[in-house]
Amino acid sequence: MKVEDLYKLYIQYGLVDTDTREIRKNTVFFALKGGNFNGNKFAEEALRKGANYAVVDEKEYKTSENIILVNNVLESLQELANYHRNQLNIPIVALTGSNGKTTTKELINVVLSSKYNTTATIGNLNNHIGVPLTLLSMTSETEVGIVEMGANHHNEIAFLSKIANPNYGYITNFGSAHLEGFGSLEGVIKAKSELYDFIIKNNRKVFVNPNDLTQVEKVKNVEVIIFDESIEFIEANPFVKLKFKDTDITSHLIGAYNFANISAAITIGDYFNVSKEVIKSAIESYIPSNNRSQIINTSKNKIILDAYNANPTSMKAAIESFKLLKDSHKTVVLGDMFELGQYSEAEHQNIANLVSQANFERVIFLGDNFFKTNTDKPKFSNYNELKKYLLENPIINSTILIKGSRGIALERAVELC
């Protein structure tokens, strides 16, 4: 089936689903495949639950006229998303980067949605499936689209850019993340810059943080939108406070590293003619969730929970910011960083050295990689050992930074603090 014909079926209700557990009435079900599942097997179930059509790529599962056979379901989903995007006469802002993508996307959305009808990536659904689903969630009422793009290998951002066809691009930063897939920091820079390559090739515009010299170098001789010069950092103790056009803004985000994320949202909002008063209200109303820079007050301690993800760059930034807090008693609980490949041993040792030299009251490590480091601080290879230690040696009356990669699930330690 040609994409134009598939689009006629989709546009009837503008709904696409890929999971029969969350199927919606009148949707088009795309039977995606994974390492441990074959969506083709659920095509009939999707129809029974209310889907109008199901798209499959194995002939034996085309058992009715409402089941559409294509060569490749995933490719059809991506082609449909691109076709739909090109029917929408709206600006789309795309962003990627090593750290802060989702937080920055949320901030941009909260600012722009205060004036426009926006559609943005939900959560961090930012890959070869999430980006198409984001585009297909946009409707005729959407005035601005905001698309987050993630990648852990070369050419992924270039591919996603072709699908999303953005008018504007922004890269949060270039850091030591996914080194296993990118090979080196230089590889990270090359891969993330694929977004700028697309924008520049198509004579569109990029937003640039002038304090990021790598970004500045990448967009030389290109029309750029620089962060507003009036944005001024005040403090992060723990919440980031800043000034914009002589207007004080107090966010609910912790860590000086979030200043750049907020600055991007302010600059983009200002570019789209959102007033400074509305920008202030939007930024101050945003409260992070899902283990991202959350402050949790327990009966014993104040916890800064940042356990959604971690890599060497974000870990260093969190530690440096934590050092600046004026709290008298500070404890650090760190979990392993993943996807570092050959750099894993050295990067974990670097973090162990950095945090051990910071004169925090207590430092505790969790995970196989930190367990291998040369440090005299308490370290544990598994959570049960950490739990036993904290029950026998409780942390009391302290401000605690808890940070680690998603896979280590370090948010479990909150119950022990």
Side-chain angles (χ1 to χ4, degrees):
M1 176 175 280
K2 294 182 179 179
V3 67
E4 294 87 352
D5 296 322
L6 185 57
Y7 189 69
K8 291 177 183 177
L9 303 180
Y10 153 77
I11 204 64
Q12 293 177 35
Y13 294 98
L15 297 176
V16 165
D17 285 317
T18 60
D19 189 340
T20 53
R21 293 170 298 181
E22 301 176 356
I23 207 78
R24 293 171 291 180
K25 189 176 181 181
N26 297 322
T27 189
V28 178
F29 172 72
F30 279 77
L32 298 175
K33 296 176 182 176
N36 300 310
F37 67 91
N38 182 354
N40 287 275
K41 297 179 179 179
F42 301 98
E44 290 187 351
E45 179 184 344
L47 295 179
R48 287 196 302 271
K49 288 185 173 181
N52 278 342
Y53 300 95
V55 182
V56 302
D57 54 16
E58 294 181 17
K59 190 174 181 179
E60 63 182 289
Y61 295 101
K62 180 173 171 46
T63 56
S64 77
E65 291 184 358
N66 290 75
I67 297 181
I68 301 161
L69 181 66
V70 298
N71 291 329
N72 184 293
V73 171
L74 176 58
E75 291 178 1
S76 293
L77 176 69
Q78 294 165 338
E79 189 177 0
L80 177 65
N82 176 251
Y83 188 89
H84 177 56
R85 187 273 173 270
N86 291 332
Q87 308 309 306
L88 297 169
N89 186 27
I90 61 170
I92 287 184
V93 179
L95 68 155
T96 188
S98 299
N99 305 295
K101 291 187 297 295
T102 299
T103 297
T104 304
K105 178 261 301 180
E106 296 286 350
L107 288 166
I108 294 171
N109 188 36
V110 77
V111 169
L112 292 182
S113 65
S114 61
K115 180 173 181 176
Y116 303 96
N117 190 329
T118 64
T119 300
T121 301
I122 296 175
N124 65 333
L125 298 176
N126 57 24
N127 62 6
H128 61 296
I129 297 172
V131 167
L133 291 177
T134 297
L135 294 169
L136 290 168
S137 70
M138 297 179 186
T139 72
S140 59
E141 296 181 353
T142 302
E143 295 176 297
V144 181
I146 304 161
V147 179
E148 178 183 337
M149 298 178 178
N152 51 26
H153 289 87
H154 291 283
N155 300 317
E156 288 182 275
I157 297 298
F159 178 68
L160 296 177
S161 297
K162 289 180 180 178
I163 295 175
N165 193 17
N167 307 86
Y168 304 91
Y170 173 61
I171 298 176
T172 59
N173 53 34
F174 303 102
S176 301
H178 303 297
L179 293 177
E180 189 172 21
F182 293 130
S184 64
L185 179 58
E186 290 72 24
V188 172
I189 295 172
K190 183 176 185 296
K192 299 298 183 181
S193 294
E194 289 167 7
L195 173 59
Y196 282 169
D197 294 341
F198 177 89
I199 295 291
I200 293 169
K201 180 180 179 181
N202 289 278
N203 296 314
R204 296 171 186 175
K205 296 180 179 180
V206 296
F207 295 96
V208 174
N209 178 356
N211 297 317
D212 187 328
L213 299 182
T214 304
Q215 283 194 47
V216 173
E217 177 65 25
K218 284 290 179 180
V219 295
K220 285 197 307 186
N221 304 318
V222 175
E223 182 181 0
V224 299
I225 304 160
I226 299 292
F227 282 9
D228 194 290
E229 293 181 354
S230 72
I231 302 173
E232 177 187 350
F233 177 79
I234 298 176
E235 66 173 4
N237 190 44
F239 298 118
V240 177
K241 296 182 180 180
L242 64 154
K243 189 182 292 288
F244 167 57
K245 294 183 177 178
D246 297 321
T247 299
D248 290 334
I249 299 176
T250 301
S251 75
H252 290 279
L253 289 164
I254 60 172
Y257 51 88
N258 269 310
F259 173 65
N261 301 332
I262 299 171
S263 298
I266 291 174
T267 298
I268 292 172
D270 188 53
Y271 178 82
F272 279 90
N273 298 312
V274 181
S275 70
K276 66 178 181 180
E277 292 80 13
V278 173
I279 289 174
K280 169 183 168 67
S281 177
I283 297 295
E284 293 186 339
S285 71
Y286 174 70
I287 299 176
S289 59
N290 298 325
N291 304 325
R292 298 177 189 274
S293 298
Q294 291 177 262
I295 288 192
I296 301 172
N297 290 299
T298 70
S299 59
K300 297 181 291 185
N301 302 288
K302 179 171 74 175
I303 297 172
I304 296 176
L305 180 61
D306 194 3
Y308 185 83
N309 211 347
N311 56 56
T313 302
S314 67
M315 191 75 88
K316 291 171 186 174
I319 292 168
E320 293 296 341
S321 183
F322 193 59
K323 285 167 59 177
L324 298 177
L325 294 187
K326 299 173 183 176
D327 303 54
S328 300
H329 306 284
K330 291 186 280 190
T331 299
V332 174
V333 181
L334 302 181
D336 275 358
M337 303 172 290
F338 296 145
E339 297 186 63
L340 296 179
Q342 62 178 320
Y343 299 93
S344 183
E345 182 177 345
E347 292 292 357
H348 280 87
Q349 187 62 58
N350 288 340
I351 294 298
N353 294 342
L354 175 65
V355 76
S356 295
Q357 296 165 3
N359 295 318
F360 294 130
E361 196 166 88
R362 295 177 68 176
V363 175
I364 304 168
F365 299 108
L366 174 66
D368 291 334
N369 293 310
F370 273 127
F371 191 73
K372 297 173 185 176
T373 59
N374 180 20
T375 177
D376 60 354
K377 306 299 182 183
K379 54 184 180 179
F380 306 94
S381 59
N382 66 72
Y383 178 74
N384 287 333
E385 293 176 356
L386 171 66
K387 182 175 182 179
K388 182 176 183 293
Y389 170 81
L390 288 178
L391 290 174
E392 295 174 351
N393 304 272
I395 305 170
I396 299 174
N397 296 326
S398 184
T399 299
I400 308 170
L401 171 65
I402 297 179
K403 185 167 179 63
S405 285
R406 179 84 297 274
I408 205 80
L410 200 52
E411 69 274 7
R412 293 176 292 173
V414 171
E415 65 180 8
L416 306 174
C417 301

